[in-house]
Amino acid sequence: MDLLKILAIVLGATGFWKLVEVLLQLGVQKRLKNAEIRNLNVQANSLVVENYKLWSENMEKRLKQLESKNALMNKTITKQRDRITELEKYVDQLEAEIQSYKKRNRDERGQRK
């Protein structure tokens, strides 16, 4: 009987320690899993920030390109407006010359008749 009690005590003690060990392992695994999740979140946030930074830099470059093209287009438009103004003045001058020519022709015809 004493041997059975000793055997029961030894098996109970080893079972108890095995239970404690399993519980400790579960706690450690849970902490490890939480740490991995936090690490993945930090990496994901880091990638998001890096991608946003690259996107912002590319947008700044694109804006600078568009602004320079816009400046060139404004210069071209200004030159074209100046040229149109010159041509309108020239057309007005030619129309005045045509009117004076027509008037002279009418006057000459009137004197011939």
Side-chain angles (χ1 to χ4, degrees):
M1 245 341 198
D2 288 331
L3 187 59
L4 286 176
K5 286 182 181 180
I6 292 173
L7 188 61
I9 291 172
V10 168
L11 288 176
T14 56
F16 173 75
W17 288 114
K18 191 66 173 171
L19 178 64
V20 169
E21 182 183 345
V22 167
L23 292 175
L24 287 175
Q25 284 180 352
L26 286 175
V28 167
Q29 286 177 356
K30 186 176 180 182
R31 284 188 200 159
L32 180 62
K33 210 181 265 186
N34 287 337
E36 287 175 351
I37 289 171
R38 280 192 303 272
N39 188 25
L40 289 174
N41 283 336
V42 167
Q43 288 177 357
N45 288 338
S46 176
L47 285 173
V48 167
V49 168
E50 187 65 28
N51 286 340
Y52 181 75
K53 182 180 172 186
L54 289 173
W55 178 81
S56 296
E57 289 172 357
N58 287 336
M59 288 305 293
E60 286 179 17
K61 289 178 186 176
R62 184 71 177 131
L63 281 173
K64 286 180 183 178
Q65 289 174 349
L66 290 174
E67 286 173 351
S68 68
K69 285 182 181 178
N70 190 27
L72 289 173
M73 292 300 288
N74 283 338
K75 287 180 184 178
T76 303
I77 289 170
T78 303
K79 287 179 183 177
Q80 288 176 346
R81 283 182 185 157
D82 292 343
R83 181 69 178 142
I84 288 170
T85 304
E86 290 174 12
L87 290 174
E88 285 175 345
K89 288 179 184 177
Y90 182 67
V91 166
D92 290 341
Q93 177 186 350
L94 289 178
E95 285 177 349
E97 287 179 14
I98 290 171
Q99 290 298 327
S100 67
Y101 177 76
K102 285 181 179 179
K103 186 178 179 181
R104 250 187 291 139
N105 278 348
R106 272 190 246 136
D107 290 345
E108 287 176 5
R109 286 182 191 165
Q111 286 177 359
R112 287 185 200 163
K113 289 183 182 181

